[in-house]
Amino acid sequence: MGDAAGDGVPGDGEGPVREMVVEDFTIDATTVTNTDWAAFVDATGHRTEAEEFGVSAVVRCFHTGSAADVVGVPPQAPWWLGVRGASWRQPEGRGSDLSGRWDHPVTHVSWNDAVAYCRWSGRRLPTEAEWEYASRGGLVQQRYPWGDVLLADGGGWRCNIWQGDFPDVNTGDDGWLTTAPVRSYKPNGYGLWQTVGNVWEWCSDTFTLPGVETEGRGRPSVVAEPTRVMRGGSFLCHDSYCNRYRNSARTGNTPDSSTANTGFRTVAG
């Protein structure tokens, strides 16, 4: 587990490379889709935190609503907008919907929302170690689920990330501007689709730095409690600022946060 190629950002805590042991588990072949989420909502009446708060994060160049819907722009990431009305039902804000996207990953779901889905389905979120083991698909210390080289022979894309001039122009050379259907491209050696690119995936762990011990407990120290881990990168990743579309890449967000590029898959065992 960890970054063997030196690609990671030190503050992300991808290293050191270390051996981990995981027990047997099953994992979804894909991220949870809009169809899956709709079944959960129909069965339980669950309202996402984005719906309760009335706002969620949308990528600036894809926002479909009016300027009046924008409630904030983070200065450190001005390509994001806080948008009223954005939710899993309206991924780009008012005026957008799920037409043609029922087989895309559900987005605008928080960690808390994902945990609620897991309780309903009798499953759980993966640990980081489980997620990385599964994403590697049987390969050892390779950057991507398919190997060490990003593009296929002939230059073809193997995952859904940003092409063009980030953050204003996505050419969609990989076939998609935002999310792609969950069974796009090819699965890895374990039969998992799109563990890197498309959407970030929530994990169960608190975001920590490996190898840093707390007082006598033999556990990593908490960097930003209660920040939770996200894995795999998303359609928004571009090598000019974020090369986190790799097996070992990681980041975190607060458990009530929701964005247009975050989803999840579940495990059992």
Side-chain angles (χ1 to χ4, degrees), residues 10 29 42 52 56 90 98 104 122 129 149 164 176 179 192 200 209 251 268:
D42 288 346
E52 292 290 342
S56 192
Q90 300 182 117
L98 296 178
H104 288 223
V149 180
W176 306 95
T179 59
L192 275 63
W200 284 102
L209 292 181
T251 193

Side-chain angles (χ1 to χ4, degrees), residues 5 21 46 60 69-70 76 91 98 100 108 118 159 161 175 177 205 231 253:
V21 176
H46 180 85
R60 180 179 66 201
D69 288 335
V70 177
Q76 72 278 18
L98 296 178
H108 296 283
C118 289
C159 62
I161 56 177
L177 294 176
D205 306 63
R231 285 302 205 110
N253 209 343

Side-chain angles (χ1 to χ4, degrees), residues 92-151:
E92 288 80 46
R94 301 182 208 274
S96 65
D97 58 35
L98 296 178
S99 298
R101 290 192 279 187
W102 290 102
D103 61 346
H104 288 223
V106 66
T107 58
H108 296 283
V109 288
S110 70
W111 185 89
N112 294 322
D113 293 324
V115 168
Y117 178 95
C118 289
R119 289 181 183 133
W120 171 74
S121 64
R123 294 174 68 81
R124 59 180 173 84
L125 292 177
T127 66
E128 277 203 89
E130 288 171 335
W131 188 96
E132 187 168 327
Y133 183 91
S135 181
R136 290 184 179 279
L139 301 181
V140 178
Q141 294 187 349
Q142 301 288 295
R143 287 184 175 92
Y144 311 110
W146 54 83
D148 249 348
V149 180
L150 179 61
L151 299 179

Side-chain angles (χ1 to χ4, degrees), residues 158-225:
R158 305 191 223 207
C159 62
N160 178 20
I161 56 177
W162 191 281
Q163 296 89 47
D165 182 15
F166 182 85
D168 295 312
V169 178
N170 186 354
T171 61
D173 289 347
D174 60 10
W176 306 95
L177 294 176
T178 59
T179 59
V182 295
R183 284 183 169 83
S184 300
Y185 310 102
K186 292 182 180 179
N188 71 4
Y190 291 157
L192 275 63
W193 301 77
Q194 295 198 77
T195 55
V196 301
N198 215 23
V199 293
W200 284 102
E201 300 182 21
W202 287 114
C203 290
S204 62
D205 306 63
T206 301
F207 189 80
T208 60
L209 292 181
V212 179
E213 305 296 323
T214 54
E215 299 177 39
R217 291 184 294 172
R219 297 178 182 175
S221 63
V222 174
V223 174
E225 182 73 32

